[in-house]
Amino acid sequence: MTPIISKLPQVGTTIFTVMSALAAEVGAINLSQGFPDFETSPELIKLVNNAMKNGHNQYAPMPGVMALREEIAKKTEKLYGAVYNPDTEITITAGGTQAIFTAITAVINPNDEVIIFEPAFDCYAPAIKLAGGIVKSLELSPPDYRIPWDMVKRLINSKTRMIILNTPHNPTATILHKEDIDELSALVKNQDILILSDEVYEHLIFDGEMHHGMARYPELQQRSFIVASFGKPFHATGWKVGYCMAPAFLMQEFRKVHQFLVFSVNAPLQYAIAEHLKDENTYLSLPDFFQQKRDYFRKGLEQTKFELLPCSGTYFQSVTFNKITDEKDSDFALRLTKEIGVAAIPTSVFYTQGTDHHVLRFCFAKRQETLDKAVDRLLKL
Ligand code: GLN
């Protein structure tokens, strides 16, 4: 057989799989891939069980269970003021990554340019390339990773079709501020530019800060795919249920792809989540819950030789390690996992050029004893 021409020659296995597999192999505490090591709520598990017992075991409607889409519409209007029609503007997806891939595939044509900010979550660029689009990346730097909007302006031309945003941001734990929204609004005004806004950590935001999601700003909302997740708020990343909201003209195209990519998402979880969402405390309690973990972990890390970067949202804490070693971040992450027994994510993998700012990312969505154990080990450095 003639050799296959790879569509993604530069791409290997995602860092999350690599680091989690290594952590398991060597028995390290896994603070690399982002997932909690505590259980989701027993009530929610009971609701899933009930949905199964009640016979919700066949295909859900292609765009998702209506009861869930209605709850999402209510929540979005209550929190951000935007009105989405659950019938035509909300689709339940098999997690955030599927929603992102679907949105990009639906609207990016060959040679369309898409602006992304690096470090960028690793699924954005491959999805753009598979659609034939061109990735225009702009590098951000620690400690604050602010977006230089004047440089974004210089990147924009008649081929620019989309800007991908992520707030709260993975891996840097930064958030967009009102000034960013103002700059963005001015830039896209009267332009044919869509926005894909990855907001899967919308409820994990600290210090009383506000989530500046696209649904708050009508002029941005009208051109945005907003991607959200239930895995993060409900401590159930393995369930792979999320959703996408977009104005009908965009959602119509989104569903053309969605129906042939997954058709629909597993039904019992959707019924259960719809019921669970009725209690707003399930998500409004999250900032406090995770802020406590952030503060606890930061206090622990302060005793080590790592230097802490700011953390305004997500369940990730980034650190620099210049006082420890001048190794490459990817080499250090491997050694840390194997020799010290704590797995982390090297952030150079999120830059096209592999830019290494000597920054590692730890996940603090863990029980206190796990964080204690990890800090004890990190103190050995
Ligand atoms: N969002 C998770 C993280 O950043 C990983 C998701 C995945 O493994 N695809 O760690």
Side-chain angles (χ1 to χ4, degrees):
M1 217 198 308
T2 45
I4 283 170
I5 300 169
S6 174
K7 299 187 100 174
L8 297 170
Q10 266 32 290
V11 171
T13 302
T14 169
I15 191 71
F16 306 112
T17 298
V18 170
M19 293 311 300
S20 277
L22 180 64
E25 184 192 320
V26 302
I29 299 170
N30 190 0
L31 305 189
S32 63
Q33 191 180 27
F35 61 87
D37 74 343
F38 40 87
E39 264 314 316
T40 185
S41 103
E43 290 82 49
L44 180 52
I45 289 178
K46 205 181 281 168
L47 288 170
V48 176
N49 207 238
N50 287 347
M52 288 180 169
K53 285 187 192 149
N54 292 338
H56 293 304
N57 299 303
Q58 308 309 327
Y59 293 125
M62 183 274 278
V65 166
M66 192 40 119
L68 179 54
R69 286 185 274 151
E70 282 169 354
E71 285 305 321
I72 292 167
K74 270 191 229 160
K75 164 178 178 280
T76 305
E77 185 173 2
K78 191 182 64 189
L79 293 182
Y80 308 125
V83 178
Y84 282 92
N85 181 339
D87 192 27
T88 53
E89 300 185 315
I90 300 175
T91 299
I92 310 303
T93 61
T97 299
Q98 186 238 308
I100 290 163
F101 189 92
T102 304
I104 292 170
T105 306
V107 298
I108 295 305
N109 284 292
N111 299 321
D112 282 350
E113 294 186 1
V114 181
I115 298 177
I116 67 171
F117 301 102
E118 294 184 343
F121 189 62
D122 65 349
C123 79
Y124 303 160
I128 298 163
K129 287 182 192 155
L130 286 173
I134 295 165
V135 180
K136 290 286 182 185
S137 47
L138 199 64
E139 291 201 9
L140 311 180
S141 303
D144 55 6
Y145 297 97
R146 290 305 283 263
I147 296 176
W149 290 103
D150 52 328
M151 287 173 75
V152 182
K153 190 172 184 181
R154 270 185 260 154
L155 273 186
I156 290 178
N157 62 65
S158 60
K159 288 195 278 179
T160 309
R161 191 73 189 109
M162 178 183 267
I163 298 176
I164 303 186
L165 295 165
N166 175 209
T167 186
H169 188 268
N170 180 12
T172 67
T174 56
I175 54 174
L176 288 185
H177 298 273
K178 181 63 173 55
E179 306 84 78
D180 296 304
I181 297 294
D182 292 343
E183 299 269 11
L184 173 66
S185 305
L187 276 189
V188 298
K189 201 171 178 192
N190 301 325
Q191 302 258 21
D192 268 340
I193 300 177
L194 300 172
I195 294 169
L196 171 54
S197 188
D198 175 353
E199 301 181 17
V200 298
Y201 296 98
E202 70 186 304
H203 297 301
L204 278 61
I205 194 153
F206 312 130
D207 307 314
E209 292 277 5
M210 183 169 124
H211 172 55
H212 291 283
M214 300 305 115
R216 262 187 214 284
Y217 304 98
E219 71 281 14
L220 297 176
Q221 183 267 344
Q222 285 162 20
R223 56 175 80 230
S224 294
F225 291 99
I226 299 176
V227 171
S229 160
F230 291 116
K232 281 82 181 165
F234 297 151
H235 320 314
T237 60
W239 289 4
K240 293 299 298 176
V241 185
Y243 59 94
C244 181
M245 302 188 293
F249 78 101
L250 292 177
M251 188 48 75
Q252 191 183 342
E253 296 304 314
F254 182 98
R255 286 182 183 172
K256 289 182 190 175
V257 177
H258 174 82
Q259 65 186 343
F260 298 129
L261 190 55
V262 291
F263 180 62
S264 69
V265 174
N266 78 73
L269 289 183
Q270 294 190 56
Y271 283 97
I273 294 170
E275 206 48 42
H276 196 60
L277 270 182
K278 287 185 180 154
D279 176 5
E280 62 177 20
N281 200 42
T282 53
Y283 49 91
L284 295 184
S285 59
L286 292 167
D288 280 352
F289 177 78
F290 279 108
Q291 186 168 326
Q292 264 176 31
K293 293 203 176 289
R294 178 201 67 170
D295 293 346
Y296 188 79
F297 188 47
R298 283 178 71 91
K299 223 187 241 157
L301 284 178
E302 271 163 15
Q303 304 162 45
T304 71
K305 294 208 182 86
F306 288 106
E307 283 163 299
L308 296 164
L309 290 174
C311 171
S312 302
T314 73
Y315 43 45
F316 303 117
Q317 174 63 54
S318 289
V319 296
T320 54
F321 54 83
N322 294 313
K323 284 197 195 145
I324 299 170
T325 175
D326 55 11
E327 281 165 284
K328 272 169 45 185
D329 67 350
S330 44
D331 292 339
F332 182 45
L334 293 179
R335 190 166 70 81
L336 195 64
T337 310
K338 291 182 196 157
E339 289 177 14
I340 304 293
V342 180
I345 297 285
T347 58
S348 62
V349 301
F350 302 119
Y351 290 93
T352 310
Q353 306 300 331
T355 310
D356 184 0
H357 291 289
H358 282 190
V359 173
L360 293 183
R361 188 201 82 174
F362 292 113
C363 172
F364 58 77
K366 305 293 169 187
R367 286 171 288 157
Q368 191 161 314
E369 64 199 80
T370 309
L371 298 175
D372 285 341
K373 241 192 252 170
V375 168
D376 275 351
R377 292 183 184 189
L378 296 174
L379 277 167
K380 292 191 200 127
L381 283 161

